[in-house]
Amino acid sequence: MSQSRKLSAIMFTDIVGYTALMGNNEQKAFDLLRLNREIHKPVIEAFGGQWIKELGDGVMASFPSVSNAVYAALKITEACKEKNAFELRIGIHQGEVIFEAGDVFGDVVNIAARIQTAAPPGGIFVSESVHRDISNKHDIRSVFARVESLKNVKEPISVFRILTEKDEFVSPQGKARQATLSPDYDSDIHVSFRLNDNKYDGWVTEFVEKLNQELAATLKDKLTIYFDRNLDETRIQSKDNPNKSLIFIPVISQTYCDVQSPVWINEFSAFQELVKTDSLGTSIRLPSGIYSSRVIPVKIHEIDKDDVRLLESSLAGDLRSVDFIYREDGVNRPLRPVDDDKAGSHLRPMYRNQINKLANTIKELALGIKQQLRSAPAETAEFVPVARTILPNVIAAPVSNAIKVQVIDRQRPNIFLAWTSGDLKESREEMAIILQKAGFNVLPAIDCPADDETFKRKTAEELEKCVCSLHMISGEFGRRFESDDEISFPQYQFLQAKQKVEQPGSDFNVFIWLSPENTANVKPAQQQFIKYIRNNITRNMMFSNSLGPMALVDDMRIVIMKQDAKAYDSKDTDIFFIFNQQDEFDAQLIIDQLSMEYPVETMNILPEGEDAYRDISSQQIPKSKLAVVYFKYAADWALPFIKQIWKQVGGASSTTPMFLVGEDDPRSNLARNFRAPKVISSIIPKEAIPSEVKKVYLNVV
């Protein structure tokens, strides 16, 4: 029996819901099989394919080329839609197969069959090799779907979806629908890229699909994305007739910054000209009050300094990018979703996190654009240097009448979060978010400038606005100055901050964080820098090895807040009883019993202004013989609260013991406790709490 081996594209199709239909109406099911053959056979023949066999309600066919197979799949799908009789799932893979006695064998056949089962109703899924081979077909559009672990296939494979006319992602020519945010624009978002950055593995196509999915889960508005799949770099547009979009995302690669390329001329530069004349302008005021550029660069490679300078000069401002760069020594390639499943350095960013950051950035811009379209843009608020306080301007809810509060003006302090070496860029972005949530304004809010003098000027300007600085360091020395390669950018920022500390009468604070996770493979120059820091710690400086950013920020808050110690008029008492408004009724019953025997000061903490209450508590606790933190339903509040207060009053060196007490109903409270020096923790029935507080009080006084 003769065999032959050929490179072929294998297509499997399957009728959706056929098994259920067979059980309900056998005659109709047989009629569908007949109609299925009538649709398939002429189309397969028309595109040079070979009908191999029927597999129940499915069909298996082979084609001499992947393009013929995909064209046939599209035609079959269209015919099914016209007949309005059933939907198909279709899968296509290519490779070397064995033909024998009119049948086909090999791994390619197995993979094609598995891809077909993964496809959605009415959908066409193809393998990555098929996707690559059809990338030069202007009339076929494919987008990344997901990574699939297929049965009897050793390695997970990437599958791509062939877009049909029903898909609203983009139109056949790559032209998006009208912008959702404003009918005066062609699209909400324009993704600009160089051809070769999408040709090898479809990175940009995959990125746009993932971004589209993330935006759908992040915004209520369904934003439209312009994404030109035309593989001819002359592009459909010209500079005189650009796509008019609200937000521009250039995919910055090693080749994007080429002033002679059609992409740079017809898309990047054309957008810069467009925003100079349209009503929105170059920047949008965000809900937070700061201004942000309508250009959001996405970097997929580390780029040359000259390219960074070109971008900065072309944008007429500072560069702030969202990076999708695979972090590893000797590697400079785009990060991909499949990399999230790989073991590697903790410094390697996750694709999932980066796509979420980008979607959130777009969301903020979209909200600002909507506000600006509704009304005239508000004036920029005048900058006022901020004093060393962290609490909100106004305590939003009343505190106990027993505690007198001196009204003070409180604003968010500005912190200089130093630019880091490249391996810590994503960690710096995460730290910025944590600091903002902790009550800080974080500066600078841009990427590190490439030019030496611009970097020095920006460092001086931003440090002048701040009351403290945080320097994150790893084993990398960081970018060096062109004029003096003995000095790195991170080192220069530390030295400038140190000078502020050393000025007479200065109350500037400097925090240095060397995370234990970042100490592997420390470069020799960095070892010397770390040694210098340790040997030159002076007043108002703190070198930290905190295990995580949250612990570090907690320590920083304590240091910064020390100067507010006299803001509150606290008084001596036996028991200071703290509870959350959620438990107010039960707490009051306990307080009534305690106050019959002991002086009790109380604090009812409302949801707003918890930071303010922590500050008040940290001053009242030392004036008390015992501090009680009680909870019934507010366990999620009580644990973080007591942990922070315990630190603020001195931890193990506190003069006042603390008693964390919770009720045993609900039962989930049984797992809630905090063990630390000077802290007693108990979960007991409500009726036993007053006597237990008395017992603890008598043991500690």
Side-chain angles (χ1 to χ4, degrees):
M1 191 175 292
S2 63
Q3 289 185 349
S4 63
R5 293 177 178 269
K6 294 181 183 178
L7 184 65
S8 299
I10 302 299
M11 179 181 75
F12 276 87
T13 72
D14 183 76
I15 298 176
V16 176
Y18 181 80
T19 302
L21 183 62
M22 188 74 177
N24 296 329
N25 190 330
E26 186 172 311
Q27 184 57 48
K28 184 176 181 181
F30 282 121
D31 290 342
L32 287 184
L33 284 181
R34 178 181 50 78
L35 178 60
N36 194 39
R37 296 187 200 104
E38 292 176 359
I39 291 173
H40 277 72
K41 284 190 174 181
V43 175
I44 292 171
E45 292 175 2
F47 287 95
Q50 179 180 346
W51 175 287
I52 303 297
K53 59 184 175 183
E54 282 184 291
L55 299 166
D57 59 315
V59 172
M60 175 184 175
S62 69
F63 293 85
S65 69
V66 293
S67 58
N68 281 17
V70 174
Y71 284 132
L74 287 168
K75 190 68 176 177
I76 289 169
T77 301
E78 182 183 338
C80 288
K81 184 178 179 181
E82 291 175 357
K83 297 290 185 181
N84 196 27
F86 52 80
E87 286 186 310
L88 296 175
R89 289 185 175 91
I90 301 179
I92 303 173
H93 183 44
Q94 70 159 339
E96 188 178 71
V97 296
I98 300 170
F99 285 85
E100 180 180 302
D103 208 345
V104 181
F105 305 93
D107 288 341
V108 173
V109 176
N110 180 43
I111 292 174
R114 301 303 179 191
I115 290 175
Q116 173 264 307
T117 61
I124 304 169
F125 269 13
V126 301
S127 63
E128 188 168 5
S129 61
V130 173
H131 161 76
R132 283 200 301 266
D133 282 1
I134 61 174
S135 61
N136 63 343
K137 302 297 181 183
H138 299 173
D139 52 349
I140 301 177
R141 299 169 297 139
S142 58
V143 296
F144 174 80
R146 57 181 178 269
V147 175
E148 284 280 354
S149 296
L150 303 178
K151 186 177 180 180
N152 297 329
V153 179
K154 291 182 180 179
E155 298 293 331
I157 70 168
S158 296
V159 294
F160 293 75
R161 176 165 57 95
I162 302 298
L163 296 181
T164 61
E165 290 303 318
K166 72 174 185 178
D167 293 297
E168 295 182 351
F169 178 42
V170 284
S171 68
Q173 291 76 31
K175 189 73 172 179
R177 304 183 311 273
Q178 186 180 62
T180 301
L181 300 178
S182 171
D184 295 332
Y185 291 81
D186 300 326
S187 61
D188 295 298
I189 301 168
H190 179 180
V191 176
S192 171
F193 67 100
R194 287 298 296 268
L195 164 63
N196 288 337
D197 296 322
N198 199 41
K199 195 171 184 179
Y200 173 66
D201 58 8
W203 190 93
V204 183
T205 301
E206 181 179 48
F207 162 75
V208 173
E209 176 71 4
K210 288 296 184 183
L211 177 60
N212 196 49
Q213 294 170 356
E214 191 72 22
L215 288 173
T218 306
L219 290 90
K220 295 177 181 177
D221 297 300
K222 185 173 178 61
L223 302 187
T224 59
I225 301 177
Y226 174 83
F227 170 45
D228 190 351
R229 287 183 176 80
N230 183 11
L231 296 180
D232 180 359
E233 286 229 331
T234 58
R235 301 290 187 183
I236 296 172
Q237 277 95 332
S238 68
K239 186 174 182 180
D240 297 328
N241 185 31
N243 174 70
K244 189 178 181 183
S245 58
L246 289 157
I247 299 170
F248 187 81
I249 299 180
V251 179
I252 306 299
S253 64
Q254 296 182 92
T255 62
Y256 188 89
C257 299
D258 177 3
V259 295
Q260 302 300 321
S261 75
V263 176
W264 184 275
I265 297 169
N266 298 341
E267 296 184 354
F268 185 84
S269 296
F271 183 82
Q272 307 310 314
E273 295 300 319
L274 172 72
V275 296
K276 291 177 183 178
T277 57
D278 74 1
S279 59
L280 290 173
T282 59
S283 299
I284 301 296
R285 181 169 183 169
L286 305 183
S288 61
I290 65 173
Y291 282 81
S292 178
S293 171
R294 288 167 61 184
V295 179
I296 310 175
V298 164
K299 282 172 60 181
I300 61 173
H301 295 130
E302 296 291 358
I303 58 176
D304 298 336
K305 292 180 182 179
D306 289 342
D307 288 345
V308 175
R309 294 189 183 100
L310 175 61
L311 283 170
E312 290 176 343
S313 63
S314 301
L315 292 171
D318 301 301
L319 178 66
R320 184 173 187 180
S321 63
V322 178
D323 291 0
F324 289 77
I325 303 173
Y326 187 91
R327 306 284 188 197
E328 191 170 293
D329 288 343
V331 177
N332 189 14
R333 71 163 175 85
L335 186 71
R336 294 195 62 188
V338 293
D339 296 324
D340 287 358
D341 298 328
K342 296 179 181 178
S345 169
H346 65 281
L347 296 176
R348 183 183 300 159
M350 291 186 66
Y351 187 101
R352 182 70 179 82
N353 290 347
Q354 297 305 99
I355 206 77
N356 180 257
K357 288 179 185 177
L358 178 59
N360 286 325
T361 301
I362 292 171
K363 178 181 179 180
E364 291 296 299
L365 262 179
L367 292 174
I369 288 170
K370 289 173 71 174
Q371 177 62 33
Q372 194 160 323
L373 289 171
R374 284 196 296 263
S375 60
E379 295 182 1
T380 308
E382 181 182 358
F383 170 75
V384 179
V386 180
R388 309 153 57 67
T389 54
I390 289 183
L391 306 180
N393 289 329
V394 179
I395 298 175
V399 297
S400 167
N401 292 331
I403 297 178
K404 297 177 182 178
V405 183
Q406 177 184 340
V407 178
I408 56 177
D409 180 28
R410 297 183 175 276
Q411 300 181 57
R412 294 165 64 92
N414 289 344
I415 181 170
F416 180 85
L417 181 57
W419 287 300
T420 64
S421 51
D423 59 314
L424 289 180
K425 181 178 179 183
E426 286 78 21
S427 298
R428 180 183 181 274
E429 292 173 352
E430 292 170 4
M431 178 64 78
I433 294 171
I434 293 170
L435 287 167
Q436 287 164 354
K437 290 182 177 179
F440 290 92
N441 290 322
V442 180
L443 301 173
I446 58 172
D447 284 358
C448 184
D451 179 72
D452 289 2
E453 295 306 315
T454 303
F455 165 77
K456 291 179 180 179
R457 175 173 54 81
K458 286 287 185 182
T459 298
E461 290 174 355
E462 302 295 85
L463 272 172
E464 190 61 31
K465 302 174 184 177
C466 297
V467 299
C468 61
S469 64
L470 171 58
H471 306 260
M472 301 170 59
I473 56 177
S474 68
E476 296 293 329
F477 191 53
R479 185 189 299 174
R480 300 170 185 260
F481 284 95
E482 294 181 353
S483 57
D484 184 358
D485 62 6
E486 297 296 320
I487 301 291
S488 71
F489 279 28
Q491 185 179 17
Y492 177 86
Q493 292 168 100
F494 169 76
L495 295 175
Q496 293 302 301
K498 183 172 178 290
Q499 286 184 15
K500 285 184 68 72
V501 170
E502 294 170 347
Q503 292 174 2
S506 171
D507 56 3
F508 191 85
N509 280 282
V510 174
F511 302 92
I512 306 99
W513 184 40
L514 175 63
S515 169
E517 297 181 349
N518 298 338
T519 55
N521 302 319
V522 180
K523 301 296 173 60
Q526 187 70 347
Q527 289 178 343
Q528 292 299 316
F529 177 35
I530 294 171
K531 182 178 179 181
Y532 173 83
I533 293 174
R534 292 183 183 275
N535 292 337
N536 287 273
I537 296 293
T538 62
R539 66 175 186 87
N540 290 1
M541 296 178 67
M542 184 180 80
F543 190 95
S544 174
N545 290 102
S546 296
L547 293 177
M550 295 294 293
L552 172 70
V553 174
D554 276 348
D555 292 340
M556 292 172 58
R557 285 172 55 87
I558 293 169
V559 172
I560 297 295
M561 292 168 68
K562 280 182 178 178
Q563 290 196 356
D564 290 333
K566 296 182 180 180
Y568 302 103
D569 182 15
S570 54
K571 64 179 183 179
D572 294 338
T573 190
D574 284 5
I575 298 174
F576 182 38
F577 197 94
I578 310 169
F579 59 94
N580 187 279
Q581 185 191 33
Q582 190 176 356
D583 298 327
E584 182 176 7
F585 177 79
D586 299 277
Q588 196 59 54
L589 297 176
I590 298 169
I591 292 166
D592 289 344
Q593 294 184 54
L594 292 173
S595 60
M596 295 175 65
E597 299 184 44
Y598 304 102
V600 180
E601 295 292 328
T602 66
M603 177 171 287
N604 180 0
I605 296 185
L606 303 186
E608 300 87 355
E610 285 194 9
D611 286 340
Y613 291 118
R614 274 194 290 270
D615 205 38
I616 298 170
S617 300
S618 68
Q619 294 172 62
Q620 179 62 47
I621 287 173
K623 293 278 191 174
S624 310
K625 295 178 181 178
L626 175 67
V628 178
V629 177
Y630 159 79
F631 65 92
K632 178 179 176 68
Y633 301 111
D636 290 338
W637 157 82
L639 283 175
F641 183 86
I642 195 170
K643 289 177 182 179
Q644 293 182 18
I645 290 298
W646 178 74
K647 283 184 179 181
Q648 289 180 223
V649 298
S653 62
S654 171
T655 58
T656 302
M658 304 181 72
F659 182 28
L660 175 67
V661 59
E663 294 189 23
D664 62 358
D665 182 19
R667 292 186 60 81
S668 58
N669 285 348
L670 295 173
R672 308 301 183 104
N673 60 73
F674 174 48
R675 304 292 181 184
K678 288 295 185 81
V679 177
I680 301 164
S681 185
S682 292
I683 305 296
I684 54 180
K686 180 172 69 176
E687 57 271 14
I689 291 178
S691 59
E692 190 69 17
V693 172
K694 294 175 188 178
K695 185 168 66 175
V696 171
Y697 173 79
L698 292 174
N699 287 336
V700 300
V701 295

